[in-house]
Amino acid sequence: MKQWVAPLLRSLLLIAIAVLLLMPVVLNIVSSFMTEREITSNYSMLGKTDTSVFVNLKWIPDWVSFQQYNKVLIATPQFLYLFWNSVMLVIPIIIGQAFVATLAAFAFGKLYFPGRDGLFLLYLMTMLMPFQVTLVPNYLMADRLGLLNHPSSIILPGIFGAFGVFLLRQFMLQIHSAFIEAAKIDGAGYLRIFISIALPMVKPGVAALVVLLFVDYWNMVEQPLIFLQDAALQPLSVFLSRIQEDALGVSFAASVIYMMPMVLLFLSAERYFIEGIQLSGVKG
């Protein structure tokens, strides 16, 4: 087999996989620009038991219409209000967990104290537990602290999540010990070492953590449903999960708007992911 055949086949396979993964996203975007009548005509059989009629998947709308976006952004003020709820829940979690995780990861990765590895293992076990296991203890604690039906009942557990510590500790371990030893010889304390050496070197890891946390908490549904009984306090993800079949047009437009922050954040942090891969090759 010629040398160019294998790379060509790999490229074609990757392109085919990418097309399959992007098809639902493209279909959602295209459908959001259809008229209400066209959406009803194409998706009227969605969820029906009649197998003789199929959903009509159209990749080009008959008429380009902004009717659905008008309903979402102008005629339905609730959408923007719940969108703001999502922002006010997710941003404090990201900032708080990034701050706590960098400090804890530096301690677990570069400081030596008795019981460090055992404590980290115990801390890591909380990440391995599914949400349903910790649901009752978190609910009882929020109830005792008077935080039920308040955004703090979601923000505080999110800030102290174990995932960020685990991820950034892996980056901290890649920092060569010679940098820290040289800083100690120069008289730098641990705080100075953390700010001037560790934090800049794990910046790609922090960027990756921000993106992963944003995707995770931007799409959360179970936590708001349980801890926020007031629908006015719930994020947009809960609203989208409750959209009925008779509002498919609004669902398409709202989904496009809802996924834009995630797409823009990922594109802006793409360079840091590449730097993170390069950093992982440095031996500590």
Side-chain angles (χ1 to χ4, degrees):
M1 183 178 291
K2 296 183 179 180
Q3 295 182 351
W4 58 269
V5 175
L8 177 61
L9 292 177
R10 286 197 298 267
S11 299
L12 292 176
L13 178 61
L14 292 175
I15 292 174
I17 295 174
V19 170
L20 289 175
L21 293 176
L22 290 175
M23 280 178 60
V25 178
V26 175
L27 183 63
N28 187 85
I29 296 174
V30 171
S31 299
S32 68
F33 290 101
M34 294 180 180
T35 62
E36 189 71 34
R37 177 180 299 179
E38 187 175 2
I39 291 174
T40 303
S41 175
N42 294 336
Y43 300 99
S44 60
M45 295 306 299
L46 190 65
K48 305 298 183 183
T49 58
D50 186 2
T51 58
S52 62
V53 183
F54 298 93
V55 175
N56 183 23
L57 300 180
K58 295 183 63 175
W59 298 98
I60 300 177
D62 295 335
W63 297 94
V64 176
S65 172
F66 293 91
Q67 178 183 3
Q68 312 308 327
Y69 290 96
N70 177 71
K71 288 183 179 180
V72 170
L73 297 176
I74 299 177
T76 312
Q78 181 188 13
F79 176 86
L80 296 178
Y81 185 80
L82 297 178
F83 186 93
W84 180 249
N85 284 350
S86 296
V87 173
M88 295 304 294
L89 285 174
V90 174
I91 298 302
I93 291 176
I94 292 176
I95 296 175
Q97 186 169 154
F99 176 76
V100 173
T102 49
L103 292 173
F106 178 73
F108 283 123
K110 289 303 175 183
L111 301 185
Y112 299 94
F113 52 89
R116 181 192 68 171
D117 295 337
L119 180 61
F120 177 72
L121 181 61
L122 182 64
Y123 190 72
L124 194 61
M125 289 176 62
T126 62
M127 186 183 72
L128 303 178
M129 296 180 182
F131 171 73
Q132 291 77 7
V133 174
T134 59
L135 173 60
V136 174
N138 285 338
Y139 186 89
L140 293 176
M141 290 181 61
D143 186 30
R144 293 289 181 88
L145 295 173
L147 299 179
L148 285 180
N149 204 33
H150 191 275
S152 300
S153 61
I154 296 176
I155 294 174
L156 291 179
I159 288 176
F160 296 98
F163 174 74
V165 179
F166 168 75
L167 178 65
L168 294 183
R169 178 180 177 271
Q170 304 307 115
F171 282 85
M172 291 290 182
L173 292 176
Q174 305 304 325
I175 300 177
H176 204 290
S177 300
F179 293 117
I180 297 179
E181 295 300 328
K184 289 181 179 179
I185 294 174
D186 292 337
Y190 282 115
L191 181 60
R192 181 70 175 178
I193 293 173
F194 171 76
I195 296 175
S196 301
I197 297 177
L199 197 57
M201 296 188 72
V202 300
K203 185 170 63 174
V206 175
L209 175 64
V210 168
V211 174
L212 294 175
L213 288 178
F214 187 88
V215 173
D216 186 22
Y217 286 98
W218 189 253
N219 295 314
M220 61 180 172
V221 175
E222 292 179 328
Q223 297 97 317
L225 283 175
I226 295 171
F227 293 100
L228 302 176
Q229 289 80 20
D230 189 355
L233 298 175
Q234 293 175 349
L236 187 57
S237 53
V238 177
F239 171 77
L240 293 178
S241 67
R242 291 174 172 172
I243 292 181
Q244 304 297 322
E245 294 180 6
D246 57 352
L248 283 176
V250 174
S251 176
F252 287 131
S255 298
V256 171
I257 298 174
Y258 192 65
M259 72 179 178
M260 289 308 298
M262 289 184 287
V263 174
L264 295 176
L265 180 62
F266 176 79
L267 292 177
S268 63
E270 182 181 5
R271 177 171 61 91
Y272 294 102
F273 278 107
I274 298 175
E275 291 181 7
I277 296 174
Q278 296 173 345
L279 181 61
S280 63
V282 180
K283 301 298 181 180

